[in-house]
């Protein structure tokens, strides 16, 4: 026979102002199975918890119902309280009479009635609760970082610093990501490569960090602490262990028409190439689309020239299988395609460029060796017009509904750098709003205006058209209530950013969720911002939402601390509220196996005694409790009712429904 | 016709939510008739939101608008300023009564690419 105690919290006035706690206490004291009911101002306080502990001892309680806030807030607290008083931690039920009752009702009568019903429901459930014990699993002391941009690099360095092994999987031939493409970084205007490449080198030199470049995650199995990951190493046709990065092959390659992705396709590169001078690993790669040998079996020059015999035209994709305890997703972003914005003339005019293209046009390692020249005729542009919010804050379906966050700052940076380097250049910026919160950020933008004389125009551009070789930028000057046309030599579009499209595939493989804009969803927007809803998977950088370099680095370090906290554990306590199978009822239909999102269910052949000394072998479901997350998909799918959840059994849920319906 | 009725009615006819406007001015940046208009396309949206219908109803701009729909096409917020202008024009015409061109004249000048709304505005605008 169960002896249940009910504890009703006032939560200051959060609950008590709308719910008559005295009446709830009286009503619950009369419930069958309840031997003690009490209310208190703050049940989660030290005193409140002591009250619960004393009551458990004094009234020999077998289970407690706490009527308070959402179980997301204090379920863990009260489980610990119960455990400290000698009860099983799972003999605790929470009735949420705050978020689901007092906060959403105004009428005291109604709210009190509802609170009583919610409390009765919890009592109905707890009467069928059984003590549960969480299982334990080991932890593989190695982390996987997907994406080798600044987010992935920082996370990997921090995890390695704590003494754990880290593998970085980067789909491109080098790590470095978008930050490697930037010329300068705001708000200090230091050279991006100068601050990034030391970190890249640290990754390469660390004996804890292993870089899988030009590789992709092929398959992910397992669960927190024990992920099994298959990595595809794409064929680069160059033996990484032999190549010294000398560059002789690049010089000898007769095919020069490949577009240079690192320079945003603004110039060409050979078919065999190293993406940029400081690439990590500093190893060549062959572009099979451009290589004459791979396309038509002619040539072979690079193989003959290579002094170390690193070129291998027959190389194929290979696979590596590794175990990991934690995974960091840092897949980054790209600028959106501008197909929906032909009013800005991007497709038709070479001198209309995106901001990322401008970074390359201004960079010393870029196609113009750092001298700002127009792509069309290689001349110095004298009038440069920037257009902000291209594709951002757009709910028409052409662009992205969100603010891309970084554009105001990098446009101010571009404008300032141009005015600094070429004082005879006229620089205009069309803006809708200037958004520069952040340390030294607004001061930075004001410097562009006050010190460098950049002309900021409040208004959006309606169209850009070519008139006798000039780019005519027609837009609003809203403060002057005028329509203006600025004949320009170069137009720069502050293009919206979007998550790298590879994130969809990664999200599916990791069973983590993405929002309507393909950004990865965090476990809690405020309190768990670097954790994904799937245990053991963490998020860093723009894959989670638009952010600049300092924010990305902070988030990556936060991510690393979460990973380190996980890897530091020898054992992980599981969730005991998992699925289990009644083998006598299982018909072996496999439906549960198909719906399980975690791969926790397998089928086994098992021998059963059928009487008369005989046995028969039947195919039945088997749940791996370490993998099961207790979602309950199998229990509602099972046609024979063989699947059930510990702590949330079908019988308990029916009892709850009954308690709600009973008046 | 009370002011409140007119504001709500113009909003209803325009079929657009002026609160969605983020005041970027792309409509006025694009407008080919901008210089001729006494009230600019972006102002139509703002002023309707403020309930300043008297000024809108007496504006000359409603007859300068070409109904080219460029502002509707390019608005990043889906506000459709031309629909607001059309709604004001419609209200003025209804208060005066009568159509500007005859329905039987339409088939000769219509082609299938002409937006329906442009056709409707032609009824009221081109009275010669």
């Amino acid at each position: 026979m169960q002896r249940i105690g009910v504890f009703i919290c006032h939560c200051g006035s959060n609950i008590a102002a709308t719910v008559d706690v005295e009446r709830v206490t009286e009503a619950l004291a009369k419930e069958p199975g309840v031997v003690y009911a009490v209310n208190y101002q703050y049940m989660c306080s030290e005193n409140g918890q002591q009250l619960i502990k004393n009551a458990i001892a004094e009234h020999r309680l077998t289970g407690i119902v706490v009527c308070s806030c959402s179980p997301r807030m204090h379920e863990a607290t009260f489980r610990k309280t119960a455990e400290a008083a000698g009860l099983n931690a799972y003999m605790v039920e929470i009735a949420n009479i705050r978020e689901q009752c007092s906060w959403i009702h105004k009428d005291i009568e109604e709210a009190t009635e509802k609170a009583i019903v919610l409390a009765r429901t919890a009592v109905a459930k707890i009467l069928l609760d059984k003590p549960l014990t969480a299982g334990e699993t080991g932890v593989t002391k190695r982390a996987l970082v997907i994406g080798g941009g600044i987010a992935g690099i920082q996370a990997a360095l921090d995890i390695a610093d704590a003494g754990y092994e880290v593998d970085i999987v980067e789909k491109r031939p080098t790590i470095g990501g978008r930050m490697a493409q930037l010329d300068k970084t705001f708000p200090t205007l230091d050279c991006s490569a100068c601050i990034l490449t030391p970190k890249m080198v640290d990754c390469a030199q660390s004996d804890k960090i292993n870089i899988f470049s030009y590789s992709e995650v092929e398959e992910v199995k397992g669960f927190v602490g024990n992920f099994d990951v298959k990595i595809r190493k794409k064929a680069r046709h160059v033996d990484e262990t032999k190549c010294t990065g000398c560059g002789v092959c690049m010089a000898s390659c007769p095919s020069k028409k490949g577009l240079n992705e690192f320079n945003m396709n603004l110039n060409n590169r050979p078919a065999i190439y190293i993406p940029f001078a400081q690439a990590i690993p500093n190893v060549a790669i062959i572009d099979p689309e451009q290589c004459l040998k791979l396309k038509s079996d002619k040539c072979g020059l690079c193989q003959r020239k290579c002094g170390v015999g690193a070129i291998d035209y027959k190389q194929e994709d290979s696979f590596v299988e590794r175990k990991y305890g934690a995974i960091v997703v840092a897949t980054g972003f790209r600028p959106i395609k501008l197909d929906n914005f032909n009013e800005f003339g991007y497709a038709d005019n070479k001198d209309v460029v995106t901001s990322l293209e401008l970074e390359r046009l201004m960079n010393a390692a870029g196609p113009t060796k750092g001298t700002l020249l127009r792509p069309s005729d290689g001349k110095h542009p004298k009038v440069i017009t920037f257009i902000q919010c291209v594709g951002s804050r757009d709910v028409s379906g052409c662009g992205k509904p969100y603010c891309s966050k970084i554009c105001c700052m990098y446009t101010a940076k571009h404008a300032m750098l141009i005015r600094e380097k070429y004082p005879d250049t006229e620089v205009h910026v069309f803006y809708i709003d200037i958004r520069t919160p952040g340390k030294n950020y607004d001061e930075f933008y004001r410097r562009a205006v006050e010190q460098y004389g950049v002309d900021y125009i409040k208004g959006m551009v309606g169209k850009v058209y070519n008139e006798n070789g000039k780019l005519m930028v027609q837009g609003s000057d809203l403060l002057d209530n005028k329509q203006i046309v600025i004949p320009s030599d170069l137009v720069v579009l502050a293009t919206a950013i979007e998550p790298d499209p590879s994130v969809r595939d990664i999200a599916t493989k990791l069973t983590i969720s993405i929002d309507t804009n393909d950004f990865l969803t965090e476990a809690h927007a405020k309190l768990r911002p670097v954790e994904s809803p799937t245990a053991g998977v963490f998020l860093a950088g723009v894959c989670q939402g638009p952010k600049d370099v300092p924010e990305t680095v902070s988030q990556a370090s936060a991510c690393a601390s979460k990973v380190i906290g996980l890897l530091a554990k020898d054992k992980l306590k599981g969730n005991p509220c998992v699925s289990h199978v009644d083998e006598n009822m299982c018909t072996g239909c496999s439906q549960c196996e198909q719906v399980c999102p975690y791969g926790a269910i397998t089928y086994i052949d098992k021998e059963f005694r059928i009487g008369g000394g005989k046995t028969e072998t039947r195919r039945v479901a088997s749940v791996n409790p370490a993998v099961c997350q207790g979602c309950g998909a199998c229990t509602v799918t099972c046609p024979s009712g063989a699947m059930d959840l510990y702590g949330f059994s079908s019988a308990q849920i029916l009892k709850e429904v009954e308690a709600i319906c009973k008046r | 016709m009370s002011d409140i009725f007119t504001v709500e009615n113009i909003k209803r006819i325009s079929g657009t939510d002026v609160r969605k406007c983020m005041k970027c001015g792309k409509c006025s940046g694009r407008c080919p008739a901008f210089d001729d208009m006494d009230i600019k396309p972006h102002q139509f949206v703002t002023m309707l939101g403020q309930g300043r219908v008297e000024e809108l109803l007496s504006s000359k701009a409603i007859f300068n608008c070409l109904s080219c729909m460029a502002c509707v096409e390019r608005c990043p917020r889906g506000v459709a300023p031309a629909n607001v202008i059309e709604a004001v024009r419609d209200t003025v015409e209804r208060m005066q009564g009568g159509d500007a061109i005859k329905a039987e004249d339409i088939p000769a000048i219509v082609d299938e690419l002409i937006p329906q709304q442009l056709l409707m505005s032609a009824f009221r605008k081109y009275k010669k």
Side-chain angles (χ1 to χ4, degrees), chain A residues 159-188:
Chain A
I159 297 166
D161 200 31
Y164 298 105
E165 278 183 53
V166 193
D167 289 354
I168 301 177
V169 171
E170 167 57 52
K171 69 174 177 177
R172 295 193 182 81
T174 170
I175 59 169
R178 291 292 173 203
M179 190 178 167
Q181 293 181 288
L182 305 183
D183 182 40
K184 302 283 190 293
T185 51
F186 58 76
T188 44

mmCIF file of all heavy atoms in Angstrom, chain A residues 159-188:
data_model
loop_
_atom_site.group_PDB
_atom_site.id
_atom_site.type_symbol
_atom_site.label_atom_id
_atom_site.label_comp_id
_atom_site.label_asym_id
_atom_site.label_seq_id
_atom_site.Cartn_x
_atom_site.Cartn_y
_atom_site.Cartn_z
ATOM 1 N N ILE A 159 39.339 21.673 -26.301
ATOM 2 C CA ILE A 159 39.144 20.288 -25.837
ATOM 3 C C ILE A 159 40.507 19.597 -25.729
ATOM 4 O O ILE A 159 40.802 18.911 -24.747
ATOM 5 C CB ILE A 159 38.197 19.514 -26.790
ATOM 6 C CG1 ILE A 159 36.797 20.142 -26.800
ATOM 7 C CG2 ILE A 159 38.110 18.050 -26.376
ATOM 8 C CD1 ILE A 159 35.903 19.669 -27.931
ATOM 9 N N ALA A 160 41.360 19.837 -26.728
ATOM 10 C CA ALA A 160 42.697 19.234 -26.722
ATOM 11 C C ALA A 160 43.516 19.752 -25.540
ATOM 12 O O ALA A 160 44.293 19.017 -24.937
ATOM 13 C CB ALA A 160 43.407 19.527 -28.038
ATOM 14 N N ASP A 161 43.299 21.020 -25.232
ATOM 15 C CA ASP A 161 44.028 21.650 -24.130
ATOM 16 C C ASP A 161 43.733 20.951 -22.801
ATOM 17 O O ASP A 161 44.553 20.932 -21.893
ATOM 18 C CB ASP A 161 43.631 23.133 -24.062
ATOM 19 C CG ASP A 161 44.662 23.948 -23.294
ATOM 20 O OD1 ASP A 161 45.847 23.577 -23.336
ATOM 21 O OD2 ASP A 161 44.264 24.935 -22.649
ATOM 22 N N ALA A 162 42.526 20.400 -22.697
ATOM 23 C CA ALA A 162 42.151 19.703 -21.464
ATOM 24 C C ALA A 162 42.674 18.271 -21.472
ATOM 25 O O ALA A 162 42.431 17.515 -20.532
ATOM 26 C CB ALA A 162 40.634 19.713 -21.305
ATOM 27 N N GLY A 163 43.348 17.889 -22.543
ATOM 28 C CA GLY A 163 43.985 16.579 -22.571
ATOM 29 C C GLY A 163 43.216 15.485 -23.298
ATOM 30 O O GLY A 163 43.586 14.324 -23.245
ATOM 31 N N TYR A 164 42.140 15.879 -23.981
ATOM 32 C CA TYR A 164 41.373 14.867 -24.693
ATOM 33 C C TYR A 164 41.680 14.882 -26.191
ATOM 34 O O TYR A 164 42.000 15.924 -26.752
ATOM 35 C CB TYR A 164 39.866 15.076 -24.480
ATOM 36 C CG TYR A 164 39.470 14.936 -23.042
ATOM 37 C CD1 TYR A 164 39.166 16.056 -22.278
ATOM 38 C CD2 TYR A 164 39.430 13.681 -22.435
ATOM 39 C CE1 TYR A 164 38.835 15.933 -20.939
ATOM 40 C CE2 TYR A 164 39.094 13.558 -21.096
ATOM 41 C CZ TYR A 164 38.792 14.678 -20.356
ATOM 42 O OH TYR A 164 38.464 14.553 -19.040
ATOM 43 N N GLU A 165 41.538 13.713 -26.795
ATOM 44 C CA GLU A 165 41.734 13.637 -28.250
ATOM 45 C C GLU A 165 40.554 14.273 -28.978
ATOM 46 O O GLU A 165 39.404 14.139 -28.545
ATOM 47 C CB GLU A 165 41.802 12.172 -28.678
ATOM 48 C CG GLU A 165 43.150 11.544 -28.487
ATOM 49 C CD GLU A 165 43.126 10.121 -29.020
ATOM 50 O OE1 GLU A 165 42.742 9.927 -30.183
ATOM 51 O OE2 GLU A 165 43.469 9.215 -28.244
ATOM 52 N N VAL A 166 40.845 14.935 -30.094
ATOM 53 C CA VAL A 166 39.795 15.545 -30.912
ATOM 54 C C VAL A 166 40.079 15.247 -32.378
ATOM 55 O O VAL A 166 41.218 15.347 -32.823
ATOM 56 C CB VAL A 166 39.774 17.088 -30.781
ATOM 57 C CG1 VAL A 166 38.494 17.646 -31.385
ATOM 58 C CG2 VAL A 166 39.928 17.544 -29.355
ATOM 59 N N ASP A 167 39.049 14.886 -33.112
ATOM 60 C CA ASP A 167 39.167 14.784 -34.561
ATOM 61 C C ASP A 167 38.346 15.909 -35.176
ATOM 62 O O ASP A 167 37.201 16.148 -34.774
ATOM 63 C CB ASP A 167 38.600 13.451 -35.069
ATOM 64 C CG ASP A 167 39.494 12.281 -34.676
ATOM 65 O OD1 ASP A 167 40.581 12.530 -34.127
ATOM 66 O OD2 ASP A 167 39.094 11.126 -34.926
ATOM 67 N N ILE A 168 38.936 16.605 -36.158
ATOM 68 C CA ILE A 168 38.173 17.605 -36.914
ATOM 69 C C ILE A 168 37.868 16.998 -38.275
ATOM 70 O O ILE A 168 38.780 16.537 -38.963
ATOM 71 C CB ILE A 168 38.972 18.910 -37.117
ATOM 72 C CG1 ILE A 168 39.368 19.535 -35.772
ATOM 73 C CG2 ILE A 168 38.187 19.909 -37.954
ATOM 74 C CD1 ILE A 168 40.224 20.783 -35.901
ATOM 75 N N VAL A 169 36.588 16.992 -38.646
ATOM 76 C CA VAL A 169 36.223 16.567 -39.995
ATOM 77 C C VAL A 169 35.835 17.804 -40.782
ATOM 78 O O VAL A 169 34.904 18.523 -40.417
ATOM 79 C CB VAL A 169 35.062 15.550 -39.971
ATOM 80 C CG1 VAL A 169 34.552 15.283 -41.378
ATOM 81 C CG2 VAL A 169 35.519 14.244 -39.342
ATOM 82 N N GLU A 170 36.578 18.100 -41.846
ATOM 83 C CA GLU A 170 36.342 19.297 -42.662
ATOM 84 C C GLU A 170 36.103 18.849 -44.101
ATOM 85 O O GLU A 170 36.901 18.096 -44.658
ATOM 86 C CB GLU A 170 37.561 20.235 -42.562
ATOM 87 C CG GLU A 170 37.615 21.353 -43.577
ATOM 88 C CD GLU A 170 36.394 22.266 -43.554
ATOM 89 O OE1 GLU A 170 36.040 22.767 -42.489
ATOM 90 O OE2 GLU A 170 35.790 22.458 -44.645
ATOM 91 N N LYS A 171 35.011 19.316 -44.707
ATOM 92 C CA LYS A 171 34.694 18.824 -46.044
ATOM 93 C C LYS A 171 35.580 19.439 -47.128
ATOM 94 O O LYS A 171 35.754 18.874 -48.188
ATOM 95 C CB LYS A 171 33.213 19.033 -46.349
ATOM 96 C CG LYS A 171 32.811 20.474 -46.512
ATOM 97 C CD LYS A 171 31.353 20.592 -46.947
ATOM 98 C CE LYS A 171 30.970 22.050 -47.017
ATOM 99 N NZ LYS A 171 29.611 22.270 -47.482
ATOM 100 N N ARG A 172 36.143 20.632 -46.851
ATOM 101 C CA ARG A 172 37.007 21.269 -47.843
ATOM 102 C C ARG A 172 38.444 20.759 -47.664
ATOM 103 O O ARG A 172 38.773 20.161 -46.650
ATOM 104 C CB ARG A 172 36.934 22.783 -47.701
ATOM 105 C CG ARG A 172 35.541 23.318 -48.033
ATOM 106 C CD ARG A 172 35.498 24.810 -48.202
ATOM 107 N NE ARG A 172 34.127 25.252 -48.458
ATOM 108 C CZ ARG A 172 33.204 25.440 -47.509
ATOM 109 N NH1 ARG A 172 33.512 25.253 -46.247
ATOM 110 N NH2 ARG A 172 31.990 25.809 -47.829
ATOM 111 N N PRO A 173 39.319 21.057 -48.640
ATOM 112 C CA PRO A 173 40.678 20.503 -48.558
ATOM 113 C C PRO A 173 41.517 21.097 -47.424
ATOM 114 O O PRO A 173 42.572 20.558 -47.100
ATOM 115 C CB PRO A 173 41.293 20.861 -49.914
ATOM 116 C CG PRO A 173 40.184 21.307 -50.787
ATOM 117 C CD PRO A 173 39.068 21.746 -49.922
ATOM 118 N N THR A 174 41.089 22.225 -46.853
ATOM 119 C CA THR A 174 41.848 22.827 -45.753
ATOM 120 C C THR A 174 40.909 23.286 -44.655
ATOM 121 O O THR A 174 39.738 23.597 -44.918
ATOM 122 C CB THR A 174 42.664 24.045 -46.245
ATOM 123 O OG1 THR A 174 43.205 24.736 -45.121
ATOM 124 C CG2 THR A 174 41.791 25.024 -47.038
ATOM 125 N N ILE A 175 41.428 23.358 -43.429
ATOM 126 C CA ILE A 175 40.645 23.992 -42.382
ATOM 127 C C ILE A 175 40.827 25.517 -42.508
ATOM 128 O O ILE A 175 41.636 25.987 -43.301
ATOM 129 C CB ILE A 175 41.034 23.500 -40.969
ATOM 130 C CG1 ILE A 175 42.510 23.779 -40.675
ATOM 131 C CG2 ILE A 175 40.726 22.028 -40.814
ATOM 132 C CD1 ILE A 175 42.884 23.571 -39.209
ATOM 133 N N GLY A 176 40.094 26.263 -41.728
ATOM 134 C CA GLY A 176 40.190 27.731 -41.805
ATOM 135 C C GLY A 176 38.842 28.367 -42.066
ATOM 136 O O GLY A 176 38.515 29.418 -41.527
ATOM 137 N N GLY A 177 38.028 27.705 -42.907
ATOM 138 C CA GLY A 177 36.651 28.148 -43.130
ATOM 139 C C GLY A 177 36.537 29.555 -43.680
ATOM 140 O O GLY A 177 37.423 30.054 -44.374
ATOM 141 N N ARG A 178 35.426 30.197 -43.372
ATOM 142 C CA ARG A 178 35.141 31.542 -43.896
ATOM 143 C C ARG A 178 36.137 32.575 -43.378
ATOM 144 O O ARG A 178 36.503 33.510 -44.065
ATOM 145 C CB ARG A 178 33.727 31.975 -43.512
ATOM 146 C CG ARG A 178 32.629 31.202 -44.200
ATOM 147 C CD ARG A 178 32.589 31.494 -45.675
ATOM 148 N NE ARG A 178 31.643 30.628 -46.353
ATOM 149 C CZ ARG A 178 31.690 30.341 -47.653
ATOM 150 N NH1 ARG A 178 32.655 30.830 -48.412
ATOM 151 N NH2 ARG A 178 30.802 29.556 -48.198
ATOM 152 N N MET A 179 36.562 32.416 -42.125
ATOM 153 C CA MET A 179 37.429 33.439 -41.543
ATOM 154 C C MET A 179 38.735 33.555 -42.330
ATOM 155 O O MET A 179 39.312 34.641 -42.443
ATOM 156 C CB MET A 179 37.713 33.127 -40.074
ATOM 157 C CG MET A 179 38.406 34.286 -39.365
ATOM 158 S SD MET A 179 38.700 33.981 -37.637
ATOM 159 C CE MET A 179 39.816 35.321 -37.266
ATOM 160 N N ALA A 180 39.190 32.431 -42.905
ATOM 161 C CA ALA A 180 40.426 32.456 -43.697
ATOM 162 C C ALA A 180 40.264 33.327 -44.940
ATOM 163 O O ALA A 180 41.241 33.830 -45.491
ATOM 164 C CB ALA A 180 40.820 31.036 -44.083
ATOM 165 N N GLN A 181 39.009 33.496 -45.383
ATOM 166 C CA GLN A 181 38.769 34.295 -46.589
ATOM 167 C C GLN A 181 38.686 35.794 -46.300
ATOM 168 O O GLN A 181 38.710 36.602 -47.212
ATOM 169 C CB GLN A 181 37.465 33.854 -47.254
ATOM 170 C CG GLN A 181 37.519 32.456 -47.830
ATOM 171 C CD GLN A 181 36.205 32.102 -48.479
ATOM 172 O OE1 GLN A 181 35.208 31.876 -47.810
ATOM 173 N NE2 GLN A 181 36.184 32.078 -49.804
ATOM 174 N N LEU A 182 38.529 36.137 -45.019
ATOM 175 C CA LEU A 182 38.349 37.544 -44.685
ATOM 176 C C LEU A 182 39.673 38.290 -44.746
ATOM 177 O O LEU A 182 40.733 37.736 -44.470
ATOM 178 C CB LEU A 182 37.743 37.689 -43.277
ATOM 179 C CG LEU A 182 36.432 36.940 -43.021
ATOM 180 C CD1 LEU A 182 35.925 37.230 -41.623
ATOM 181 C CD2 LEU A 182 35.373 37.300 -44.054
ATOM 182 N N ASP A 183 39.581 39.579 -45.092
ATOM 183 C CA ASP A 183 40.786 40.396 -45.192
ATOM 184 C C ASP A 183 41.153 40.948 -43.817
ATOM 185 O O ASP A 183 42.224 40.685 -43.288
ATOM 186 C CB ASP A 183 40.523 41.525 -46.197
ATOM 187 C CG ASP A 183 41.741 42.398 -46.388
ATOM 188 O OD1 ASP A 183 42.846 41.835 -46.441
ATOM 189 O OD2 ASP A 183 41.587 43.634 -46.485
ATOM 190 N N LYS A 184 40.236 41.710 -43.240
ATOM 191 C CA LYS A 184 40.458 42.279 -41.905
ATOM 192 C C LYS A 184 39.255 41.931 -41.035
ATOM 193 O O LYS A 184 38.186 41.601 -41.537
ATOM 194 C CB LYS A 184 40.581 43.806 -41.988
ATOM 195 C CG LYS A 184 41.701 44.305 -42.894
ATOM 196 C CD LYS A 184 43.065 44.178 -42.238
ATOM 197 C CE LYS A 184 44.158 44.882 -43.025
ATOM 198 N NZ LYS A 184 44.423 44.246 -44.328
ATOM 199 N N THR A 185 39.439 42.052 -39.706
ATOM 200 C CA THR A 185 38.327 41.756 -38.802
ATOM 201 C C THR A 185 37.987 42.981 -37.957
ATOM 202 O O THR A 185 38.887 43.700 -37.512
ATOM 203 C CB THR A 185 38.688 40.591 -37.857
ATOM 204 O OG1 THR A 185 39.946 40.879 -37.260
ATOM 205 C CG2 THR A 185 38.767 39.279 -38.588
ATOM 206 N N PHE A 186 36.670 43.206 -37.784
ATOM 207 C CA PHE A 186 36.249 44.319 -36.936
ATOM 208 C C PHE A 186 36.236 43.868 -35.485
ATOM 209 O O PHE A 186 36.145 42.670 -35.235
ATOM 210 C CB PHE A 186 34.870 44.828 -37.372
ATOM 211 C CG PHE A 186 33.766 43.810 -37.359
ATOM 212 C CD1 PHE A 186 33.160 43.381 -36.162
ATOM 213 C CD2 PHE A 186 33.294 43.249 -38.553
ATOM 214 C CE1 PHE A 186 32.140 42.458 -36.151
ATOM 215 C CE2 PHE A 186 32.262 42.309 -38.536
ATOM 216 C CZ PHE A 186 31.696 41.922 -37.351
ATOM 217 N N PRO A 187 36.274 44.759 -34.502
ATOM 218 C CA PRO A 187 36.375 46.217 -34.635
ATOM 219 C C PRO A 187 37.821 46.718 -34.557
ATOM 220 O O PRO A 187 38.021 47.913 -34.442
ATOM 221 C CB PRO A 187 35.575 46.709 -33.422
ATOM 222 C CG PRO A 187 35.842 45.671 -32.375
ATOM 223 C CD PRO A 187 36.034 44.371 -33.096
ATOM 224 N N THR A 188 38.794 45.797 -34.594
ATOM 225 C CA THR A 188 40.173 46.240 -34.392
ATOM 226 C C THR A 188 40.951 46.341 -35.693
ATOM 227 O O THR A 188 42.074 46.830 -35.708
ATOM 228 C CB THR A 188 40.887 45.251 -33.452
ATOM 229 O OG1 THR A 188 40.533 43.925 -33.868
ATOM 230 C CG2 THR A 188 40.472 45.449 -32.022
#
